[in-house]
Amino acid sequence: MRRIIDSESGITLISLLLALSVLIMIFPLLNQMLSSIEKLNTSASIDTLAIEQFYYFLENELNHSEKITLATEKITFHRKDGSIVTYSKYEDKLRRQSNDLGHELLIFNVLSMKTFQLNDHAFQLTLQFRDGEFHEKYLLFPYLIESL
């Protein structure tokens, strides 16, 4: 027991106060840095997920359509069941409409949507966003594509 009390190695009150003061100064900065990193990762993953989901919807429409019409900032799918599905730019959003009724908003902050017919069975879709980012997708279709 006497050895522990007489020992010079150990934590003194001054070293404990110094360590606590350093932690108190670092903690708010660390908390702020981690929250800003989390916000960046969340917004990027949501945008990426929305774009991937939009491409999934387009490919699904291709599989269920018998005719496609390309126009400026608009793609029209004539489905095998007789319905008409349109993907178009609406203000700064991309939307999906079925038989011109209502609309589903799919992607936000879109500056432009352009379609280029590559040949009779393929077209390119280019999306430009307000932050300057571009996304391109090449889509194939077994039937003839019409352009307006």
Side-chain angles (χ1 to χ4, degrees):
M1 183 80 163
R2 189 175 270 290
R3 282 188 206 169
I4 295 173
I5 295 172
D6 291 339
S7 173
E8 291 183 21
S9 64
I11 299 175
T12 63
L13 181 60
I14 294 175
S15 63
L16 182 63
L17 290 175
L18 183 63
L20 282 174
S21 64
V22 169
L23 283 175
I24 288 171
M25 290 176 13
I26 291 177
F27 184 71
L29 298 174
L30 183 66
N31 188 25
Q32 187 177 18
M33 184 177 68
L34 290 176
S35 66
S36 63
I37 289 173
E38 182 180 332
K39 286 178 187 176
L40 287 174
N41 287 338
T42 304
S43 65
S45 66
I46 289 172
D47 292 344
T48 304
L49 179 63
I51 293 167
E52 291 301 318
Q53 186 176 23
F54 174 72
Y55 290 147
Y56 173 78
F57 287 151
L58 279 179
E59 290 171 353
N60 188 39
E61 297 298 342
L62 283 170
N63 292 332
H64 292 93
S65 298
E66 57 187 11
K67 181 180 167 188
I68 296 177
T69 306
L70 300 177
T72 304
E73 296 190 336
K74 185 176 183 180
I75 305 170
T76 304
F77 297 93
H78 302 269
R79 296 182 61 141
K80 296 172 185 173
D81 63 2
S83 62
I84 297 173
V85 177
T86 305
Y87 287 82
S88 61
K89 185 175 177 297
Y90 173 72
E91 296 173 354
D92 67 339
K93 302 161 192 69
L94 289 182
R95 70 177 176 179
R96 177 187 185 271
Q97 286 184 292
S98 182
N99 294 324
D100 290 326
L101 299 173
H103 63 258
E104 299 172 65
L105 299 177
L106 301 173
I107 302 178
F108 297 89
N109 297 320
V110 177
L111 188 61
S112 70
M113 170 185 162
K114 296 181 182 174
T115 57
F116 303 100
Q117 185 170 347
L118 301 172
N119 58 37
D120 290 341
H121 301 285
F123 68 96
Q124 173 186 347
L125 173 66
T126 304
L127 301 175
Q128 180 182 4
F129 293 89
R130 294 215 179 272
D131 62 0
E133 192 173 335
F134 282 90
H135 286 271
E136 291 183 348
K137 180 78 171 179
Y138 297 93
L139 298 157
L140 300 173
F141 186 62
Y143 304 103
L144 291 177
I145 298 173
E146 294 182 6
S147 292
L148 293 180

